[in-house]
Amino acid sequence: MTSRGAGTAFSRKNYRLSTEPEKSKVTGIVNSRLLNDYLHRVFTNADGNQPAAAYRKHLTFQNLQEHLDRLLAEEDGSEDSRDQVAEGRLGPSAVVLDHTSGFEGLLLVDDDLLGVIGHSNFGSIRATTCVYKGKWIYEVLISSQGLMQIGWCTLNCRFNQEEGVGDTPDSYAYDGNRVRKWNVTTTNYGKSWAAGDIVSCLIDLDEGTIAFCLNGISLGTAFDNITRGAGMAYFPAISLSFKESVAFNFGSRPLRYPLVEGYRPLQDPPVADLVKARKLLGYLKNVIHIGIDVTEGKLVEKDTSMWQLQGEPTVLITLAHIFNYFSPLMCKVYLVEDVLMTFRGGAVEAHPLIQQLLDLMWLLMEEYEVHECLKQLLMSLLRAYRFSPIIPDLGLQIHYLRLTIAVLKHEKSRKYLLSNVLFDVLRSVVFFYIKSPLRVEEAGLQELIPTTWWPNRFTKEGKESKEVKEESAEERLRRRAYERGCQRLKKRIEVVEGLQVQILKLLLNNKDRGGGEASRYIFLNKFRKFLQENASNRGNLTVLCPPEYMVCFLHRLIAALRFFWDGHKAKTPAALSSEEAYVPPQLFYNGKVDYFDLQRLGGLLSHLKKTLKDDLAAKANVLIDPAELQAVTMDDLDEDEESATSTAQSQRPSTTLAIGGALARPGWLSSPTLGRANRFLSTAAVSLMNPRRPLGTLEKTKVRTLSVEQRTEEDIEGSHGNEGLLLGRPPEEPDQPITENSLLEVLDGIVMMYNLSVHQQLGKMVGVSDDVNEYAMALKDTEEKISRCPKRRRDIHEELLKSQKVFSEKLNHLSRRLAWINVTIYSKEKMQDVYWLLRVCIRTIEHGDRTGSLFAFMPEFYLSVAMNSYSALKNYFSPVNSMEELPGYEETLMRLAAILAKHFADSRIVGTDIRDSLMQALASYVCYPHSLRAVERIPEEQRISMMKNLLAPYEQRPWAQTNWILVRLWRGCGFGYRYTRLPHLLKTKPEDASLPSLQKPCPSTLLQRHMADLLRSDRDLAPSFLNSVLNQLNWAFSEFIGMIQEIQQAAERLERNFVDSRQLKVCATCFDLSVSLLRVLEMTVTLAPEIFLDWNRPSSELLLRRLAQSRLLSALILCFRAAERNLFDRVVNLRLPGLESVDHYPILVAVTGILVRLLVDTDVQG
C-alpha cells in the first residue's frame, strides 16, 4: 500500500516493527549517540523533562518498543477511576437507547442507537443505564424544534401515545417547544429551543434536584425534592411527536458543555486511551518539531509549518513506532473528537501538518483503520459545525469548515470520503447550511446591529407605499445605521459561504486522476443518487433533505459550477460562458442521465420511446433495441409493483416485524447524528416502512441501461468519437462546444434541486417580512391612538404605552432576524443566482422547442422552474432587491412571455398539471403592466397564435383560466369596469393585496385588436367561440340560481341552520364566472359588433337570438324585481361570509355594457 498525498510514497511493508538482530543495521543511518539523543527528545517523560544523560537508558530502535510501553503505562489509574465513576450507576458501561424493551410507540433509531426520530403521535424511549446516587449529566442535540419532552424517568413509568416523559408521577421533563417543565402538572420554565441547540440534562440524587441547561447556559433548577430511596433509579428518557428528531450524547463523545462542576457523564470517558492518545500525539508533534542535521551531527529545531515527510529512514521508523500504538486508538469516536480534531500546528489556513498527518496515516495505518478514522473525523466535524452556537463573528463555524477543507485537500482521503462517507453515511449537505438564529440576543446580533429599522410607510392594504415621501432626519439616521449593521453581518457570512464553495470546488475537481477516478465523477454519481432519494420520497419527510439545507446547497453549487464553467471558457474560447449556459436537449432522450420516474412533457418515457422511435432515429440518430420496446400498460405496472412488494415481504425475516427489529432503509435520517437509520421500533408490531415501489429500480426501456454506479468518466465526457452525454445531437442544435459534459449534468441537477424544495422554502421565509409589516402597522396605529387619547383617561393611556413597548420589542427582534434572512436567503447575490437559473431554463426550453417532436422528452420540471423562479424574483426578493435592476430584465421577461404564450396550448405537452400551471402563469402575467407589455413585445405571429388558442371553443378543456385571461385584457375598457375592487368592498381590507385579481386594470389594446381581427376574418371561429361562451354562461348562471335558492330556504327555517362553507364558496365562484363570461361577451360585442349585427354573415341572426334568449334577460330580471320578493336581494342582505363578491353592481354593469354597445352599434350601422 502506498500513500497518494502531497508527500513521497513509501511501501508500508518495509517498515514493519521488529526487534530481530538483523534489523539493527538500520541504526547505521545515523550514529548511535545522535539516534539516542533524538529518541530521548521525541519520547519525553510524562512531566516533559528528560533525565540527565548519565542516568538515562541508551535508546535504539531495538529497545524503543519497551521504552514506549513503559512511558504509556505511567500514571495509568484507569481501573481506580472506572470503579469510582461506576458507583451510583446501574447498567451497561456503553450507554445507548434501549431498543429492545424500553420504548413505546413507533420510532426510527440510528444504527449507533443514539439518534431517534418519532414516527407516531407521541413515542417514548429511555436509555439502557440508570442512576440512583451522585450527580449525572447527559446532552441532547436538538435536530428539530417541535414538540418533545426530555428528562428522566423510573422503570415503573408507563407511557402511551398520549402520555410521555413528565406526564407520570416519577418522570420529569423539559419542553423547549412550549417552554414548560412537566411532572404530571406543568408550569413555565426555561427558554425556547431551536434546531441546532444542545440541551444538558442534570440530576443531583444527593440533593434531590433536576436542572437543565440550554447551550451551556443554566435554566435554573426545574424540580426539587424528587423521589429517592430504595428501588428508585432514574433513566434518561424522551418523548417526541411525529417526525421530531434528536441525538443523545451520554458520554460516548466529549460533552460539548462539560462545565457544570461535580457532574459526570453517564458513560465513562476512555481515560486510559485518552492519556495514551495525548501522549502519542505529543510524541508526533516532537517528531515534527525536531530535525536531525546529519552533516553537523546534531539535533535542530524546525519550523512546524514547513515540515515535510522527505523519506528520512530514522524519522519514518520513529513514526512507525508511534503509529503502532496510535492507529487502533484513532478508530474510537471519543478519541477522534477529543484528540485529532484539536491537532494543529501553525495556521489552519495553510493545512501543512494536516496534509502530512493524513499522508502518515495512509502510509503507516491499516486501510480499515484509516477508513474508520476518517469516517469518525468527518462525522465529528459535521456535528461540531452544525451544533456550534452562532456568535457574531461565526468563528466556530469558520474553524470547522477550514478543518474540513484541510482534510478534503488530501486527494486519497477526499476520494475515499466521497465514495463511501459523504453521501452514503453522512448528511454532508449540512456543511453548506448556515442556520438562522431564532434567539437574536444569543447570536450577538444586538451588538452587530445595535440600531434597528423597518419600513413605516404603508398603504391601507399593508404594503409598503411606492410613493416617495420625505424621510425624517431621525429615520434616515436609523436606516443608515441599520444598513451598516447589515453590511457587517453580510461580510461575516460571506466568509462562511466562501469556505463552503471551496469544499464544493474540491469535490468537483476533475484533474485528480491519480489512483483512480477523478473526484468530480464520484461526486456526480453520488449527487444523482441524492436527487433520486429526494425526488422519489416526496411524502416521506424523514428521508428528504430539509428544504432550508437545499437552499444553501443550491447557491453554493451554482457558485462552484460557474467557477469551473468560466474556467473552461478561458481555456476554450469557442465554448459558451456561464452567462449563456443551458442544458442541451439530447440529455433528455439519450439515456445517459437518469431522470428516475419524473414526468416528461409528453408523458411516460416508455410511451415516448415507442411513439417517437422513428423521430429519434431520423433526427438524433438514436436507435432503440426492439427488445426493449415492450408494451407496458398500467395493469402491468401494478402487477410488477405487487409482485415486487410480495417478494420483498416473503424474503424479509419475521424478526423485522417484531419489536425492535432491524429494517434497512434507503434515505436520510433527520437526527443530529447525521447518519442513516437502520432500526425501526414499533410497539404495534407493524412495519410502516415498506415502500410500494423500491428505490432505484431501473426502467425497462432505456436507450442504454446504465446504473449510476456503472457510469465512468468516458460515459460522461466521451472520447474517440464518443460524445458522452451529448450523444444524439439533433440537427437543430448548433455544433459548437458548450462546456465540459460533467458540468452540464451538475447544471441539470441544480434545476431539479430548485424544483424539489428550494422554491417552496423561498416562499416560506417571506413570512418574517410579512410579520415585520404587520407589527409596524400595529405600532403605527398604536402611536396614533396614543396621540389622540384624552389626558383624563390615564388607564387607556397606560395600556396603549404597554402595547407600544411590546410592538417595539418585537419589531427590534424581527428586524434583526430579517437582516440575517435577507443576507443568507434574499441578498442581491442570491437573487442573481435565481435569475441566472431562470435564464438557463428559458434557453433550455428554447433549444428543446426547436427539436420539434423530441421536445416531448423534456422533464416537466424545466417549465415549472422557469415559472416558479420568475414568481420568486417578483414576489419574494422585493422590496429588498428589485428585479428591474437585473441585467437583461426586459428581454428575459419577453422570452418567458413567448414561452408561456406558445406552450400553454402546445399539443406536445400532455400533462394536465403542467398545462394548468402554464395557463395560470399566463393569467398572472397579463395582470401586471410590466409583464403584459412583455407579452405585447413578443413577435406578432406568436401573439396572434396565442389569441387564436384563447378563442378556441371552451368545451373539452379547462376554460375558466382562459376566460380570466380574456377578462384581464379587457378590464379597464368595459362599462363601469375600471375598478380595482368592487365598490361595496372598498371599506374592507383584502387578505392579500398582492393577488393578481387585486391589481389595477391594465387593458391591452394591441391584443384586443388581434382578437377583433381574428373574429372578423375567421367566419368559423366566431360562432364556435361565442356559442361555447353562451353555453358556459347558461350553465354557470343556472347553478348560481339553484344554489341561492337552497341558501334562502335554509335561512328561512325556524331551526338554527349553518350553510356549508364549501357550498357558499361554490355559489360565489359560479357568480364570478357568470360575471366574467358576461364581460367576455361585452368585449366581443364592443370589438367586433358586426358578428351580431352584420346580416350578411350567415351566423349573425342566430348569435343575436341566442344572446337575447340567454341568461342575459334573467340577469336583468334578477336585479330589477321588487326588493321584498327578490330572492337575490334576500341572499345579499344575509351578508354571509364567503358571498362578499355577490352583489347587484358587477352583474348589472356587465349586462348594461352589452346592451348599450348593441344599441349604439345598431344605430351606427343604420
Side-chain angles (χ1 to χ4, degrees):
M1 183 185 69
T2 59
S3 68
R4 293 189 184 89
T8 311
F10 296 95
S11 174
R12 179 178 176 177
K13 62 184 179 183
N14 293 334
Y15 294 95
R16 294 194 179 276
L17 305 183
S18 175
T19 57
E20 297 176 9
E22 59 268 22
K23 296 295 180 181
S24 61
K25 297 178 183 179
V26 77
T27 60
I29 298 171
V30 297
N31 64 65
S32 179
R33 181 188 59 80
L34 188 59
L35 177 62
N36 177 61
D37 291 343
Y38 176 71
L39 293 178
H40 273 292
R41 285 283 300 276
V42 171
F43 300 103
T44 58
N45 292 329
D47 56 6
N49 298 321
Q50 301 179 52
Y55 297 99
R56 67 189 183 191
K57 183 178 179 180
H58 187 78
L59 287 180
T60 65
F61 286 132
Q62 280 68 44
N63 61 9
L64 178 57
Q65 184 169 344
E66 178 187 348
H67 181 66
L68 259 175
D69 287 336
R70 183 180 58 80
L71 288 176
L72 295 176
E74 290 177 357
E75 300 179 5
D76 186 2
S78 59
E79 294 299 327
D80 296 337
S81 62
R82 188 175 294 112
D83 292 340
Q84 183 182 1
V85 172
E87 186 180 359
R89 187 189 65 191
L90 295 173
S93 57
V95 186
V96 294
L97 296 173
D98 188 350
H99 67 288
T100 56
S101 60
F103 66 92
E104 170 66 34
L106 304 179
L107 300 162
L108 291 171
V109 179
D110 252 359
D111 54 1
D112 63 0
L113 300 179
L114 292 174
V116 61
I117 297 180
H119 210 74
S120 59
N121 183 44
F122 205 49
S124 302
I125 191 168
R126 65 172 183 260
T128 54
T129 299
C130 62
V131 291
Y132 61 89
K133 184 172 69 174
K135 298 180 179 181
W136 304 93
I137 182 175
Y138 71 92
E139 289 181 344
V140 182
L141 286 66
I142 305 297
S143 182
S144 60
Q145 61 195 46
L147 180 59
M148 295 178 281
Q149 294 174 198
I150 301 170
W152 304 85
C153 75
T154 64
L155 191 62
N156 296 325
C157 293
R158 294 292 178 262
F159 304 129
N160 54 45
Q161 297 292 298
E162 301 297 331
E163 293 183 339
V165 181
D167 298 324
T168 58
D170 292 324
S171 64
Y172 305 87
Y174 161 51
D175 175 3
N177 176 261
R178 292 174 288 190
V179 196
R180 306 184 76 81
K181 61 181 180 180
W182 297 81
N183 176 234
V184 182
T185 60
T186 179
T187 55
N188 293 332
Y189 173 79
K191 295 188 292 187
S192 62
W193 60 36
D197 286 344
I198 295 179
V199 175
S200 303
C201 303
L202 299 85
I203 187 169
D204 184 346
L205 288 162
D206 299 331
E207 298 294 332
T209 62
I210 290 176
F212 298 92
C213 298
L214 188 63
N215 295 327
I217 300 174
S218 176
L219 302 177
T221 300
F223 306 100
D224 53 18
N225 296 323
I226 64 173
T227 307
R228 291 172 289 166
M232 295 302 297
Y234 289 89
F235 293 82
I238 185 174
S239 297
L240 64 174
S241 56
F242 187 56
K243 295 176 183 173
E244 303 302 334
S245 56
V246 300
F248 287 84
N249 181 12
F250 300 112
S252 60
R253 299 184 304 274
L255 296 180
R256 181 59 60 88
Y257 300 104
L259 304 177
V260 184
E261 187 177 354
Y263 285 83
R264 300 167 179 167
L266 267 74
Q267 181 170 327
D268 299 332
V271 178
D273 288 342
L274 202 55
V275 171
K276 288 180 183 179
R278 288 171 178 167
K279 285 183 178 180
L280 291 165
L281 190 64
Y283 302 153
L284 181 59
K285 290 182 178 179
N286 289 341
V287 171
I288 294 170
H289 188 68
I290 301 167
I292 303 175
D293 189 340
V294 180
T295 57
E296 296 290 335
K298 64 179 182 180
L299 304 179
V300 294
E301 299 286 335
K302 280 192 172 183
D303 182 1
T304 56
S305 63
M306 302 300 293
W307 186 85
Q308 286 191 355
L309 181 61
Q310 296 176 342
E312 300 174 5
T314 303
V315 176
L316 282 174
I317 297 172
T318 305
L319 289 168
H321 278 83
I322 295 173
F323 271 89
N324 188 47
Y325 296 88
F326 194 58
S327 299
L329 299 176
M330 288 301 99
C331 297
K332 301 178 179 180
V333 60
Y334 194 104
L335 301 178
V336 169
E337 199 159 319
D338 186 272
V339 177
L340 207 56
M341 280 180 62
T342 60
F343 173 78
R344 280 172 44 195
V348 177
E349 295 87 341
H351 321 301
L353 292 184
I354 296 176
Q355 297 294 300
Q356 295 298 330
L357 179 62
L358 291 169
D359 272 334
L360 292 173
M361 288 170 60
W362 284 103
L363 175 65
L364 301 171
M365 292 170 65
E366 296 290 347
E367 273 201 10
Y368 76 89
E369 294 173 335
V370 182
H371 294 171
E372 184 64 21
C373 179
L374 286 173
K375 184 181 84 170
Q376 297 296 348
L377 178 59
L378 258 290
M379 287 183 72
S380 298
L381 285 170
L382 197 60
R383 189 181 297 111
Y385 172 77
R386 186 182 186 193
F387 291 97
S388 293
I390 299 175
I391 55 178
D393 63 353
L394 298 170
L396 294 173
Q397 284 79 7
I398 290 171
H399 171 69
Y400 292 121
L401 286 175
R402 284 174 174 167
L403 283 177
T404 305
I405 290 171
V407 174
L408 293 177
K409 277 192 172 182
H410 191 269
E411 179 182 326
K412 190 171 184 180
S413 301
R414 176 172 69 249
K415 290 184 179 179
Y416 165 73
L417 291 169
L418 254 178
S419 300
N420 302 282
V421 177
L422 286 178
F423 285 91
D424 298 275
V425 178
L426 300 182
R427 301 184 60 182
S428 53
V429 175
V430 173
F431 276 127
F432 311 110
Y433 174 55
I434 303 178
K435 61 183 179 182
S436 175
L438 291 182
R439 293 179 298 278
V440 169
E441 63 279 2
E442 291 181 18
L445 291 185
Q446 287 179 331
E447 293 76 19
L448 203 60
I449 309 174
T451 305
T452 58
W453 172 85
W454 50 86
N456 58 4
R457 300 177 298 276
F458 300 97
T459 62
K460 291 182 179 180
E461 289 80 15
K463 298 201 68 172
E464 189 175 359
S465 174
K466 295 184 179 180
E467 297 179 10
V468 179
K469 296 183 179 179
E470 190 64 30
E471 191 178 36
S472 67
E474 181 184 356
E475 189 177 19
R476 188 184 310 110
L477 288 174
R478 282 184 58 209
R479 177 176 55 80
R480 290 176 178 175
Y482 177 74
E483 289 172 351
R484 286 194 298 270
C486 293
Q487 285 300 316
R488 288 192 294 269
L489 176 63
K490 183 178 180 181
K491 288 179 181 178
R492 296 181 184 186
I493 288 179
E494 283 176 347
V495 174
V496 177
E497 293 176 345
L499 293 172
Q500 292 169 334
V501 173
Q502 281 188 45
I503 293 176
L504 281 172
K505 288 178 181 178
L506 290 170
L507 301 184
L508 287 172
N509 184 355
N510 67 335
K511 306 301 181 186
D512 55 347
R513 293 184 176 87
E517 201 173 14
S519 298
R520 180 183 296 177
Y521 306 105
I522 304 174
F523 173 83
L524 273 182
N525 293 335
K526 300 296 181 182
F527 180 50
R528 208 71 196 176
K529 289 184 69 176
F530 163 78
L531 293 173
Q532 182 179 11
E533 286 181 353
N534 283 273
S536 304
N537 293 277
R538 298 296 288 274
N540 188 355
L541 296 182
T542 61
V543 177
L544 298 181
C545 174
E548 59 269 24
Y549 294 5
M550 278 282 209
V551 172
C552 295
F553 187 30
L554 176 116
H555 289 297
R556 310 305 175 265
L557 197 53
I558 287 176
L561 171 69
R562 297 191 68 175
F563 169 81
F564 284 106
W565 194 300
D566 290 330
H568 179 75
K569 166 68 175 176
K571 297 176 184 176
T572 313
L576 299 179
S577 70
S578 63
E579 285 294 338
E580 306 167 291
Y582 72 97
V583 179
Q586 54 264 45
L587 262 70
F588 307 137
Y589 56 73
N590 64 17
K592 296 286 187 176
V593 178
D594 189 0
Y595 288 99
F596 333 124
D597 55 353
L598 295 178
Q599 190 75 4
R600 309 298 182 102
L601 293 178
L604 293 174
L605 180 64
S606 55
H607 168 74
L608 291 174
K609 286 188 173 181
K610 284 190 297 182
T611 56
L612 297 178
K613 62 178 181 178
D614 294 336
D615 289 348
L616 281 172
K619 292 186 176 183
N621 199 26
V622 171
L623 299 177
I624 301 177
D625 186 356
E628 291 184 344
L629 294 176
Q630 301 174 359
V632 182
T633 64
M634 293 307 294
D635 292 336
D636 295 333
L637 288 174
D638 288 340
E639 290 173 5
D640 290 344
E641 290 177 2
E642 290 168 5
S643 63
T645 303
S646 62
T647 303
Q649 289 176 343
S650 64
Q651 292 176 350
R652 184 181 295 112
S654 59
T655 54
T656 60
L657 294 179
I659 297 174
L663 178 64
R665 294 177 59 248
W668 282 8
L669 174 67
S670 295
S671 111
T673 55
L674 309 169
R676 295 173 180 271
N678 72 349
R679 292 178 186 269
F680 183 69
L681 309 184
S682 169
T683 51
V686 295
S687 172
L688 301 181
M689 299 306 294
N690 259 344
R692 180 160 172 78
R693 195 165 197 164
L695 182 65
T697 302
L698 292 174
E699 296 174 81
K700 296 179 181 179
T701 54
K702 284 185 178 256
V703 177
R704 181 182 178 190
T705 306
L706 268 183
S707 69
V708 171
E709 292 83 356
Q710 291 173 330
R711 293 194 313 169
T712 63
E713 179 180 348
E714 184 176 343
D715 292 317
I716 297 171
E717 300 290 2
S719 63
H720 308 296
N722 173 18
E723 295 182 273
L725 294 184
L726 298 181
L727 174 71
R729 182 176 61 85
E732 297 85 0
E733 186 67 11
D735 185 12
Q736 86 173 96
I738 303 173
T739 188
E740 296 169 281
N741 290 358
S742 51
L743 298 181
L744 293 174
E745 185 172 340
V746 176
L747 177 59
D748 176 76
I750 288 173
V751 178
M752 191 187 300
M753 278 174 62
Y754 186 92
N755 181 66
L756 289 175
S757 59
V758 172
H759 180 74
Q760 172 191 2
Q761 182 66 13
L762 290 177
K764 179 180 177 182
M765 298 309 293
V766 174
V768 178
S769 178
D770 295 339
D771 290 344
V772 170
N773 290 343
E774 289 182 11
Y775 277 101
M777 285 191 66
L779 178 62
K780 184 179 180 181
D781 183 55
T782 303
E783 289 173 344
E784 290 177 354
K785 289 179 180 178
I786 290 174
S787 65
R788 297 196 306 267
C789 181
K791 294 182 179 180
R792 65 179 183 275
R793 297 305 304 269
R794 291 183 179 180
D795 53 338
I796 297 178
H797 191 264
E798 289 176 0
E799 290 298 320
L800 289 173
L801 288 176
K802 289 180 182 178
S803 299
Q804 183 187 30
K805 182 180 179 181
V806 170
F807 292 144
S808 297
E809 289 176 353
K810 190 68 177 178
L811 275 169
N812 287 333
H813 170 86
L814 286 174
S815 64
R816 291 188 177 102
R817 185 158 178 249
L818 184 62
W820 184 284
I821 292 173
N822 284 340
V823 170
T824 55
I825 298 178
Y826 298 120
S827 68
K828 185 176 182 180
E829 292 75 17
K830 308 300 185 297
M831 184 179 192
Q832 289 170 344
D833 284 347
V834 176
Y835 181 60
W836 178 78
L837 202 58
L838 167 62
R839 290 162 68 94
V840 165
C841 290
I842 288 174
R843 281 188 289 268
T844 301
I845 295 167
E846 290 172 345
H847 280 263
D849 181 36
R850 297 183 195 127
T851 62
S853 58
L854 300 185
F855 180 59
F857 282 96
M858 179 178 288
E860 285 184 352
F861 65 77
Y862 273 88
L863 279 170
S864 298
V865 171
M867 294 181 284
N868 289 336
S869 57
Y870 167 72
S871 173
L873 291 168
K874 181 167 66 74
N875 298 318
Y876 301 158
F877 286 87
S878 60
V880 179
N881 297 291
S882 174
M883 186 180 176
E884 290 142 12
E885 299 173 359
L886 294 168
Y889 160 73
E890 296 290 345
E891 181 200 0
T892 302
L893 217 58
M894 184 191 72
R895 291 168 70 180
L896 180 59
I899 288 173
L900 297 177
K902 180 172 184 178
H903 296 299
F904 83 92
D906 193 337
S907 60
R908 296 171 295 181
I909 301 175
V910 300
T912 304
D913 291 341
I914 191 65
R915 290 175 70 94
D916 288 347
S917 297
L918 287 165
M919 183 72 76
Q920 292 170 11
L922 183 60
S924 176
Y925 227 69
V926 299
C927 290
Y928 300 89
H930 265 92
S931 48
L932 179 59
R933 300 291 89 83
V935 175
E936 294 178 340
R937 289 198 305 274
I938 65 177
E940 183 177 357
E941 181 182 350
Q942 292 185 21
R943 293 198 305 268
I944 294 174
S945 176
M946 177 189 75
M947 294 306 300
K948 190 169 184 178
N949 287 325
L950 290 174
L951 295 176
Y954 281 4
E955 285 79 11
Q956 306 301 322
R957 71 187 182 100
W959 54 270
Q961 286 289 350
T962 302
N963 197 76
W964 168 251
I965 294 173
L966 293 174
V967 167
R968 285 303 305 189
L969 298 178
W970 176 245
R971 190 172 184 176
C973 296
F975 181 82
Y977 202 38
R978 289 165 177 79
Y979 54 81
T980 302
R981 299 184 65 209
L982 290 170
H984 70 286
L985 296 178
L986 289 178
K987 294 183 180 180
T988 61
K989 180 182 176 182
E991 293 183 2
D992 187 356
S994 63
L995 290 174
S997 58
L998 296 179
Q999 302 308 305
K1000 292 182 178 179
C1002 51
S1004 172
T1005 55
L1006 176 62
L1007 297 178
Q1008 290 176 19
R1009 189 163 64 248
H1010 290 322
M1011 177 179 172
D1013 293 341
L1014 285 169
L1015 291 173
R1016 291 191 189 101
S1017 60
D1018 193 333
R1019 291 181 175 267
D1020 295 327
L1021 176 64
S1024 61
F1025 169 68
L1026 287 171
N1027 280 321
S1028 67
V1029 172
L1030 291 168
N1031 290 340
Q1032 299 301 337
L1033 175 62
N1034 287 334
W1035 168 83
F1037 209 80
S1038 298
E1039 289 292 317
F1040 171 69
I1041 294 296
M1043 286 186 180
I1044 62 173
Q1045 287 174 346
E1046 293 178 10
I1047 292 170
Q1048 175 65 18
Q1049 290 170 4
E1052 288 178 348
R1053 295 193 188 108
L1054 295 178
E1055 64 273 16
R1056 187 175 179 86
N1057 286 282
F1058 295 95
V1059 182
D1060 187 3
S1061 59
R1062 288 175 297 179
Q1063 185 180 8
L1064 295 175
K1065 186 174 180 180
V1066 172
C1067 178
T1069 301
C1070 289
F1071 180 79
D1072 293 338
L1073 286 174
S1074 301
V1075 173
S1076 65
L1077 288 163
L1078 287 170
R1079 286 297 183 181
V1080 170
L1081 285 174
E1082 180 195 19
M1083 180 182 184
T1084 308
V1085 170
T1086 305
L1087 296 176
E1090 56 269 31
I1091 296 174
F1092 296 96
L1093 303 177
D1094 185 359
W1095 303 116
N1096 295 322
R1097 287 175 169 263
S1099 60
S1100 294
E1101 185 177 357
L1102 180 61
L1103 288 173
L1104 188 60
R1105 184 177 290 114
R1106 280 213 63 190
L1107 182 64
Q1109 293 172 352
S1110 70
R1111 290 292 174 176
L1112 193 67
L1113 187 59
S1114 300
L1116 281 174
I1117 296 173
L1118 185 70
C1119 292
F1120 287 108
R1121 285 179 63 181
E1124 64 274 7
R1125 300 180 59 190
N1126 188 355
L1127 173 65
F1128 185 77
D1129 276 343
R1130 292 180 183 180
V1131 173
V1132 169
N1133 292 332
L1134 289 174
R1135 303 297 180 192
L1136 296 174
L1139 293 183
E1140 292 87 358
S1141 62
V1142 178
D1143 194 67
H1144 302 85
Y1145 179 81
I1147 197 166
L1148 181 61
V1149 291
V1151 172
T1152 305
I1154 295 172
L1155 296 177
V1156 168
R1157 289 312 310 178
L1158 285 174
L1159 292 172
V1160 170
D1161 289 319
T1162 301
D1163 185 58
V1164 169
Q1165 295 192 14

